[in-house]
Amino acid sequence: MSAELWPEAAFPTLTDVQMERIRALAEAEEVAAGQVLYSAGDLDYDFVFIESGEVEIVRAASPTSPEQVIVPHGAGRFLGELNMLTGQAVFLTARVSVDGRVRRVSSERFRRFMSEDTELSDVILRAFMARREILRTGEGARSVEVLGSRTSVEALALRTWAARQEIPYTWTELESPEGENLLSVLGLDVDNLPVVVTPTEVLLRATPGELSENLGLSYREPSGREYDLVVVGGGPAGLAAAVYGASEGLDTVVFDSVAAGGQAAASSRIENYLGFPSGLAGAQLASLAIVQAEKFGARITSPCVAKSLQVVDGHLVVTLSDDTEVPSKAVIVASGAHYRTLDIDRWSEFEGSGIHYSATDLEAKACTGASIAVIGGANSAGQAALFLASRADHVTLVIRRADILAGMSRYLADRVVADPRIQVRTSTEVVALGGESQLSTVRLADRLSGDEEEVPCQGLFCFIGAVPASDWLEGVELDKDGFVLTDHDVPDESAQPFTLLRRQPLPFETSVPGVFAAGDIRHGSMKRVASAVGEGASAVSSVHRAIGI
């Protein structure tokens, strides 16, 4: 994208009044041409406002491309983008090109300022979000390069994580001339794939966890730091808890085992969420919620797996997969559910090379012009079928039940049935998969007649529900299906710890005092985005009552 086409919101010139408010917080510094204010790879940097002179934002040279100036900034402009809020490593370098004077605001003071000055924080936040979009779609995307095979499960995991985190990156398929050239330039072979080139390192056989560590998104606090609130799970319930917890003054951290957004982020479109009559993509809703939570000071980390929850000397302690212990005054369990799979041969073999659990642009691009199948009868399956029909050659919606209305909202079912690009197969199951390294066919069985038919299928999208991710919880009462029991559903015999506190479990509180549950993991939840958001926000109200803050 050329500079002339960049949105005005990305590079505002501040008014005199706004500049004075920044000067009141900032330290002045004379700068000279060639001086670097911050570099790609830095994990922390100051908010910088330019009083005079000029600063250019530069993408450093990489093994595949020369250095490039992305944009120059002059007097009245400020530097930075979303990584000032997310804690991500810096993607680009800020270098003084004309002598002048700048004002610096420390990152800690900047965060406080962003939560206190509504008018100016809105201007800055809009600019940061617009700049991140420019990075993701323009030359800045080459700050991180991912190279891998189009059929690689590991490469898909990297791309999914990067997309969910809105990391500016470029993807190069090994099976292309560009991919072969990049592998040669790097001096590597296929055994090193997937490869990620970041501003500071070349990662071999890279994983989302390693990339997160490199980019500063993994949990970096010392073991033993106590928070007011730990939220486990970054779906709609967890993100709502983070927004309301942090905005109300609670020192809050969110741990998500995959990437913030949860299953909602895998939805191509959510049309029945209040306030969005035209609908919005689940990933877009998650992205906005993440920025909102981080604006108020919440820390969101992924991939970061919570493996246990215990009460130690009267304190709640969440232990992570690397054995880091995180004490907290309260915990909200919003770990949601794991995707359910079909128990048929070769299922795991085709995961990532034909079988998908989400229908976003990332998966849809891989299915352009192909024949695909969507399994499931709920709204998520219907939305996926409609979205994918705009890309694929043919979509088969496979539903076990005899009536599409048994699990799908009428407005959506009517739309699916009316779409000539979608074939609805009720009372039908997928019973076999075919293909060599890539899925190419599925076998469908009619549950009424018993007849079977093999049909072409290059992409199988599975939306058949999920099972609660509660296996890491210790001492928390669950129902027979593994969902967490809360408030009035906690059995009397399990509520004894509350006797000493002289109270009953609060709304959304589990059988362990100070531990709350919200969203899909909670017994009796509605399994809808709107209700999950409401539960996450409401649970924070109970947290305040429990810990007296």
Side-chain angles (χ1 to χ4, degrees), residues 114-359:
M114 286 293 287
S115 64
E116 294 169 357
D117 190 319
T118 304
E119 180 207 347
L120 195 46
S121 69
D122 284 347
V123 173
I124 294 171
L125 190 58
R126 282 196 298 270
F128 281 4
M129 293 175 69
R131 291 175 187 181
R132 174 56 62 92
E133 187 59 23
I134 290 170
L135 283 180
R136 291 179 63 241
T137 56
E139 276 300 312
R142 298 190 70 87
S143 298
V144 175
E145 299 182 72
V146 182
L147 169 65
S149 170
R150 69 169 69 100
T151 62
S152 166
V153 176
E154 293 78 14
L156 180 61
L158 276 169
R159 296 171 64 200
T160 299
W161 180 83
R164 292 268 284 271
Q165 297 295 143
E166 296 205 326
I167 302 297
Y169 81 99
T170 56
W171 159 247
T172 305
E173 289 185 355
L174 174 67
E175 296 84 356
S176 67
E178 294 80 8
E180 294 177 359
N181 179 64
L182 178 55
L183 195 66
S184 175
V185 168
L186 294 173
L188 303 173
D189 58 43
V190 293
D191 291 336
N192 300 123
L193 298 176
V195 172
V196 180
V197 181
T198 77
T200 59
E201 193 175 353
V202 177
L203 305 177
L204 309 182
R205 293 176 290 280
T207 66
E210 290 167 339
L211 181 54
S212 176
E213 177 75 25
N214 180 271
L215 296 180
L217 286 172
S218 58
Y219 185 67
R220 304 193 301 270
E221 299 296 335
S223 183
R225 172 182 172 179
E226 185 177 46
Y227 287 87
D228 294 326
L229 175 61
V230 165
V231 181
V232 180
L239 291 174
V243 168
Y244 282 88
S247 66
E248 293 172 12
L250 298 180
D251 188 13
T252 303
V253 64
V254 179
F255 299 120
D256 194 277
S257 60
V258 181
Q263 292 189 55
S267 176
S268 55
R269 183 157 292 273
I270 300 170
E271 292 197 83
N272 56 359
Y273 189 66
L274 186 67
F276 293 89
S278 299
L280 77 167
Q284 181 185 8
L285 177 63
S287 173
L288 293 171
I290 291 167
V291 172
Q292 191 174 15
E294 290 170 333
K295 168 189 171 181
F296 289 118
R299 179 89 167 93
I300 299 175
T301 64
S302 73
C304 202
V305 179
K307 73 174 185 180
S308 71
L309 170 62
Q310 297 174 311
V311 181
V312 180
D313 297 329
H315 295 271
L316 298 169
V317 178
V318 174
T319 302
L320 306 179
S321 57
D322 64 356
D323 294 326
T324 298
E325 295 184 344
V326 186
S328 183
K329 296 172 184 175
V331 174
I332 293 179
V333 177
S335 45
H338 300 301
Y339 294 113
R340 194 172 269 129
T341 64
L342 293 180
D343 186 20
I344 56 179
D345 289 344
R346 304 186 70 188
W347 185 273
S348 60
E349 180 183 338
F350 287 119
E351 287 182 309
S353 58
I355 293 177
H356 308 280
Y357 301 98
S358 60

Side-chain angles (χ1 to χ4, degrees), residues 369-452:
S371 293
I372 65 168
V374 177
I375 311 174
N379 281 7
S380 56
Q383 292 287 8
L386 286 170
F387 174 69
L388 294 167
S390 65
R391 302 288 186 89
D393 179 63
H394 179 75
V395 176
T396 302
L397 178 59
V398 182
I399 303 174
R400 280 176 52 88
R401 294 179 179 180
D403 184 359
I404 190 173
L405 291 174
M408 193 178 298
S409 299
R410 177 172 289 278
Y411 83 91
L412 185 56
D414 289 346
R415 205 176 297 174
V416 168
V417 171
D419 196 315
R421 302 166 298 181
I422 302 173
Q423 179 187 19
V424 178
R425 299 280 295 264
T426 55
S427 300
T428 303
E429 294 178 303
V430 174
V431 295
L433 310 171
E436 295 183 2
S437 61
Q438 182 81 19
L439 180 70
S440 61
T441 63
V442 296
R443 181 170 291 277
L444 304 179
D446 188 304
R447 302 184 70 215
L448 301 179
S449 67
D451 294 340
E452 295 188 2

Side-chain angles (χ1 to χ4, degrees), residues 58-87:
V58 180
R59 179 179 55 75
S62 74
T64 60
S65 57
E67 177 187 285
Q68 181 173 358
V69 175
I70 301 298
V71 63
H73 287 287
R77 293 268 192 91
F78 56 86
L79 310 183
E81 60 105 24
L82 271 183
N83 48 25
M84 285 213 72
L85 298 177
T86 64

Side-chain angles (χ1 to χ4, degrees), residues 531-548:
S531 62
V533 169
E535 289 188 12
S538 298
V540 171
S541 178
S542 292
V543 167
H544 281 289
R545 292 171 61 186
I547 66 178

